[in-house]
Amino acid sequence: MALTDEAIHKIKEMIVSGELRPGDRLPKEADLADRLGLSRNSLREAVKALSVIRVLDVRQGDGTYVTSLDPGLLLDAMSFVVDFHRDDTVLQFLEVRRILEPAAAAMAAQRMTEEEIAKLRTLLDGLGGEPTIDALVANDLEFHRQIAAGAGNDVLCSLIDSLSGPTTRARIWRGLTQESAVARTREQHAAILDAIAARQPELARSWATVHVAGVEDWLRRAL
């Protein structure tokens, strides 16, 4: 593992220094191993590890390339790790959401286009008068995804998206067990949207905080 770690570190240095850029093809395995003073086996294991976290793209019969290194692509690996969460860690994910989502809502109030706001309003209006819990949760996830995208920060958007999975079950539990959950969710979504449409970032931040904190508070009492 020490030799593999060394190989990973050396390839990382080549990318960070700009010697290898996004889209570049790595030298042939034998040539790169000689150049870095590594065994071909260590290099091969390092390439496998870096391909798992989307830094490298191994194309069978073509070679190994540096990926686009886009934040969404690199943070996709985080979603894999997040999937191993336990039910007793859901509160921790909600705490992180309570930090990130209000910031995203405030940024969206400043950066979302009128077309994006109209699309967000269409999403809420399309939910219907008495939605099922599944429909409400799906709408909730898409609502927050569009706001995160509208914040105009790919890293923030990817982080929020990666946290949506573990908290989906909590949303369903709340919808099934808390009498006013559906109406409250719809009211708070509308308030967040109105604040974004009015270009009031701090009001959008406040309503997003109330919204996520409400789920968190319910879960603390339910557990």
Side-chain angles (χ1 to χ4, degrees):
M1 283 304 297
L3 292 174
T4 301
D5 289 344
E6 182 184 356
I8 291 172
H9 179 69
K10 288 185 174 181
I11 295 173
K12 176 186 173 184
E13 282 187 333
M14 293 177 71
I15 296 172
V16 172
S17 69
E19 185 176 351
L20 286 174
R21 297 181 178 279
D24 282 355
R25 180 178 176 176
L26 270 64
K28 291 182 179 179
E29 184 181 273
D31 295 339
L32 186 57
D34 288 341
R35 178 178 168 185
L36 297 179
L38 300 165
S39 70
R40 293 179 66 174
N41 186 58
S42 296
L43 179 60
R44 199 173 295 125
E45 291 302 316
V47 168
K48 286 181 183 178
L50 290 170
S51 67
V52 168
I53 60 172
R54 308 294 184 87
V55 172
L56 298 179
D57 178 20
V58 180
R59 304 176 189 174
Q60 200 67 33
D62 186 20
T64 299
Y65 292 79
V66 180
T67 66
S68 65
L69 302 180
D70 180 78
L73 183 67
L74 297 180
L75 287 169
D76 188 51
M78 180 177 169
S79 297
F80 178 79
V81 177
V82 166
D83 284 340
F84 287 102
H85 81 282
R86 305 182 310 275
D87 285 346
D88 60 356
T89 63
V90 171
L91 270 172
Q92 295 180 32
F93 285 104
L94 280 168
E95 287 174 348
V96 177
R97 280 188 58 213
R98 179 162 45 82
I99 295 169
L100 298 181
E101 294 209 25
M107 292 167 69
Q110 297 171 303
R111 298 178 179 178
M112 282 186 86
T113 65
E114 293 300 326
E115 183 180 354
E116 289 171 332
I117 292 173
K119 183 180 177 182
L120 196 59
R121 195 172 296 282
T122 298
L123 176 70
L124 287 191
D125 292 343
L127 190 57
E130 296 183 5
T132 65
I133 297 302
D134 287 344
L136 180 72
V137 170
N139 190 277
D140 188 26
L141 289 169
E142 180 61 16
F143 179 80
H144 290 286
R145 189 199 66 77
Q146 288 189 24
I147 290 177
N153 185 304
D154 290 342
V155 175
L156 180 60
C157 183
S158 296
L159 286 171
I160 291 174
D161 188 54
S162 68
L163 296 172
S164 64
T167 57
T168 297
R169 191 184 302 177
R171 290 173 168 125
I172 295 172
W173 288 343
R174 186 191 187 204
L176 290 173
T177 60
Q178 190 176 33
E179 184 177 344
S180 60
V182 173
R184 191 173 303 175
T185 296
R186 299 186 70 163
E187 289 170 2
Q188 291 169 355
H189 280 185
I192 294 169
L193 173 56
D194 287 344
I196 291 174
R199 305 299 183 185
Q200 294 183 290
E202 292 310 312
L203 185 59
R205 185 195 305 274
S206 297
W207 273 114
T209 301
V210 168
H211 179 53
V212 179
V215 182
E216 183 185 347
D217 179 65
W218 166 81
L219 189 57
R220 286 186 187 280
R221 288 183 281 107
L223 290 177

